[in-house]
Amino acid sequence: MNTIAAIATPKGVGAISIVRISGDDALEIAKKLTKKDLKPRYATLSKLYDYNNELIDIGLVIYFKAPHSFTGEDVVEFQCHGGYAISKLILDTLFKYGVKPAEPGEFTKRAFLNGKIDASKAEAIAKLIETRSKEGAKLLSKQLEGELQKFVENVRDKLIEIMAYAEVFIDYAEEDLPETMDKDIKDRLNSIKELLEKTLEASKRREGMLSGYKVAIVGKPNVGKSSLLNALLNTNRAIVSDIAGTTRDTIEEDIQIGQHLIRIVDTAGIREAKDEIEKIGVKRSKEAIEKSDIILAVFDATSFTKEDEEILNLIKNQDKDVIVVINKIDKGLKIDLNKFKDFPIVTISAKDDISPLTRKIEEILDTYNTEDNYILISARQVNAVENALQEIKNAEEFLNTGELELFSYNIQNAIREISSITKPFEYDEMLDKMFGSFCVGK
Ligand SMILES: Nc1nc2c(ncn2[C@@H]2O[C@H](COP(=O)(O)OP(=O)(O)OP(=O)(O)O)[C@@H](O)[C@H]2O)c(=O)[nH]1
Ligand SMILES: [Mg+2]
């Protein structure tokens, strides 16, 4: 393989920067910069020289001999002083020696092509770099350890067993099929179907783990939604006033509650809108409800009106988690809480203390995270599981009609689909899609 190079650390000022090269000539070219021998897996303190033998920097150089490196090729890392200028000088020198600039994700792509990691792990690496969620990072680390790989192998093994059964069936075809076997195979298919459905369901529910669960603050005007947002953020992010209809548009911000990354959305108060802009705002508020994982429905502790009644109806028809937030409790509780008996209720003062609410949010999010470990982290993986499920359903029909060759054919397709999570079959297209979204240097 030709030798590629990239700066592996972010641009900007920092204590050190790392320039990485990988490929057949990595060692030979590295020696041209260090003028020194490099022992595999040793950190060597060395001067680094440019193409004209002028000193660039003094840094640590580490040589990873193939195949014991991230990419599986010869890799050399130059740990130089931080800042863009020095690392760029090293990079330019490498290019002069014939090294090629790495494409986004090319290091990981090479790791994949050399069998160092499978496709599900490559995707976990990409997400791990991006995610700002602590629990998301933990989940992705599990995937890097091979959780998803185990899941794929488990499903595949079960399907292969079923295939073996099908072969026996085909041999029996002339005679009567033993009934116990028929039932056994159906039971096995059902258990796989259930597992795949459960996985899809869990993945959808926990999509927010990586990008932030969406929590929408809704209610009629003036109940203190924006005050609540500000309290959650600990800043004066949104304008707060006693004029009803202050917030015109949705406002989104990220916060961390416990282990969870949350995307909190403040919305325009929902009421019969007076002007065009407000109408659009109200429409957006309703859309925010649709898109959220948790709804914080805010009410004023001192009065309950027809507009509140409408909010209550709106949240009653949702199949998502709702927390009823009774705000302005500092003014005293003057409404009947019985109306909200279907929901968990917290009473707070956005001006004073909102900790009962953050505790409740954390409690709910903790329950999202108690099930099985693996979830599907990319649309590609979700698609593969959906396709496998469809193939299994098709197979089932052919089992019922006794068309066993077709049954076997569909089971084979299901095996291919599920295997594609770790080993993609539409190779080139898949590779481009998968690695193109990486950053350069990874
Ligand atoms: N006493 C008291 N007043 C509050 C509390 N929370 C908010 N307010 C006041 O209630 C008024 C409305 O607050 P906002 O946060 O702007 O209300 P909103 O729900 O965002 O209103 P719209 O954006 O118009 O929909 C402001 O005058 C706030 O200072 C509270 O806990 N106690
Ligand atoms: Mg507001």
Side-chain angles (χ1 to χ4, degrees):
M1 270 290 193
N2 64 346
T3 304
I4 51 167
I7 301 171
T9 40
K11 281 183 192 171
V13 182
I16 56 166
S17 289
I18 298 177
V19 179
R20 200 153 58 151
I21 57 175
S22 176
D24 293 343
D25 302 330
L27 179 62
E28 197 189 313
I29 291 170
K31 281 188 199 162
K32 291 188 176 167
L33 276 81
T34 57
K35 320 271 180 223
K36 253 189 198 178
D37 221 16
L38 297 168
K39 205 169 156 189
R41 292 174 172 268
Y42 272 75
T44 309
L45 185 67
S46 176
K47 288 180 180 164
L48 301 170
Y49 298 94
D50 72 5
Y51 194 70
N52 302 317
N53 291 329
E54 278 179 38
L55 184 67
I56 306 173
D57 193 17
I58 299 174
L60 280 182
V61 185
I62 307 174
Y63 166 45
F64 299 91
K65 191 173 162 51
H68 305 294
S69 70
F70 175 61
T71 57
E73 306 172 333
D74 266 1
V75 168
V76 179
E77 272 185 24
F78 300 92
Q79 303 188 354
C80 56
H81 284 104
Y84 190 56
I86 291 172
S87 42
K88 189 72 177 53
L89 280 173
I90 292 175
L91 203 58
D92 287 344
T93 307
L94 293 167
F95 293 158
K96 283 199 177 123
Y97 284 121
V99 174
K100 297 275 169 284
E103 304 281 334
E106 199 173 356
F107 286 88
T108 315
K109 184 175 178 177
R110 288 184 176 202
F112 171 74
L113 290 173
N114 291 324
K116 301 292 283 189
I117 52 170
D118 71 19
S120 67
K121 287 184 185 170
E123 276 168 331
I125 292 174
K127 296 268 174 177
L128 194 56
I129 295 168
E130 268 171 34
T131 193
R132 299 196 294 123
S133 149
K134 287 190 232 167
E135 61 173 341
K138 280 189 195 158
L139 169 91
L140 292 165
S141 298
K142 274 190 189 152
Q143 286 225 358
L144 271 174
E145 264 181 29
E147 282 298 327
L148 188 58
Q149 196 182 2
K150 275 186 228 150
F151 163 77
V152 168
E153 274 163 17
N154 173 26
V155 174
R156 196 177 47 206
D157 288 351
K158 286 185 169 151
L159 287 169
I160 289 171
E161 274 172 29
I162 287 175
M163 277 277 295
Y165 263 65
E167 296 305 318
V168 180
F169 265 85
I170 291 168
D171 290 343
Y172 267 102
E174 295 298 314
E175 305 149 37
D176 283 334
L177 295 173
E179 269 201 13
T180 50
M181 233 164 136
D182 189 48
K183 184 173 178 317
D184 184 34
I185 213 165
K186 279 182 181 153
D187 286 349
R188 281 166 186 252
L189 278 177
N190 274 333
S191 92
I192 298 179
K193 259 183 4 190
E194 254 171 46
L195 177 63
L196 296 186
E197 270 158 6
K198 220 179 80 194
T199 305
L200 281 171
E201 170 78 5
S203 302
K204 270 184 203 139
R205 221 169 331 119
R206 287 183 287 158
E207 238 168 37
M209 189 191 287
L210 301 178
S211 55
Y213 290 105
K214 278 213 163 178
V215 178
I217 309 175
V218 299
K220 73 173 177 189
N222 236 357
V223 288
K225 298 180 295 301
S226 300
S227 306
L228 180 55
L229 174 84
N230 288 345
L232 283 164
L233 294 174
N234 241 331
T235 59
N236 288 324
R237 170 67 182 83
I239 301 171
V240 164
S241 85
D242 56 8
I243 302 164
T246 300
T247 308
R248 293 304 201 88
D249 201 350
T250 49
I251 302 175
E252 298 195 7
E253 290 291 336
D254 288 344
I255 51 165
Q256 192 88 30
I257 294 187
Q259 289 288 307
H260 313 283
L261 178 69
I262 288 165
R263 176 135 269 239
I264 189 111
V265 189
D266 179 24
T267 64
I270 295 175
R271 65 171 171 185
E272 204 54 62
K274 294 202 167 57
D275 62 50
E276 204 49 41
I277 296 170
E278 195 177 358
K279 267 189 197 140
I280 298 169
V282 170
K283 190 163 160 267
R284 289 198 177 164
S285 303
K286 290 182 177 164
E287 284 166 6
I289 293 180
E290 294 298 316
K291 285 191 207 144
S292 63
D293 299 296
I294 300 181
I295 301 167
L296 308 183
V298 186
F299 299 91
D300 188 321
T302 61
S303 77
F304 188 90
T305 64
K306 243 186 89 205
E307 284 165 329
D308 290 309
E309 195 75 55
E310 274 172 32
I311 302 286
L312 198 53
N313 284 332
L314 205 61
I315 57 171
K316 271 185 181 155
N317 297 320
Q318 297 293 329
D319 58 354
K320 32 190 99 190
D321 283 306
V322 177
I323 303 174
V324 165
V325 181
I326 309 296
N327 189 32
K328 308 194 188 182
I329 199 71
D330 53 300
K331 288 172 145 183
L333 182 65
K334 293 173 191 150
I335 59 173
D336 176 12
L337 291 185
N338 256 326
K339 294 187 220 311
F340 310 109
K341 63 179 181 330
D342 297 338
F343 303 103
I345 306 170
V346 293
T347 53
I348 58 156
S349 165
K351 283 195 161 174
D352 180 19
D353 180 24
I354 59 158
S355 58
L357 176 61
T358 47
R359 274 202 300 275
K360 191 79 213 166
I361 296 174
E362 189 175 359
E363 211 177 277
I364 290 178
L365 288 176
D366 282 346
T367 67
Y368 288 9
N369 200 5
T370 52
E371 306 149 71
D372 29 63
N373 285 331
Y374 47 80
I375 61 161
L376 310 165
I377 54 164
S378 71
R380 190 188 72 83
Q381 295 173 1
V382 169
N383 203 271
V385 173
E386 278 171 352
N387 290 348
L389 193 59
Q390 190 53 51
E391 295 289 350
I392 292 170
K393 285 179 183 166
N394 296 347
E396 249 180 344
E397 295 206 353
F398 290 122
L399 186 65
N400 291 335
T401 58
E403 294 167 85
L404 297 178
E405 267 91 5
L406 288 171
F407 167 80
S408 166
Y409 172 73
N410 279 290
I411 294 291
Q412 278 179 46
N413 284 347
I415 293 172
R416 204 168 52 117
E417 286 292 346
I418 206 76
S419 307
S420 77
I421 292 178
T422 45
K423 295 185 181 64
F425 42 87
E426 285 146 0
Y427 229 59
D428 290 344
E429 188 192 348
M430 198 64 82
L431 291 182
D432 287 350
K433 235 186 247 163
M434 254 172 47
F435 295 104
S437 62
F438 274 62
C439 53
V440 174
K442 191 64 213 173

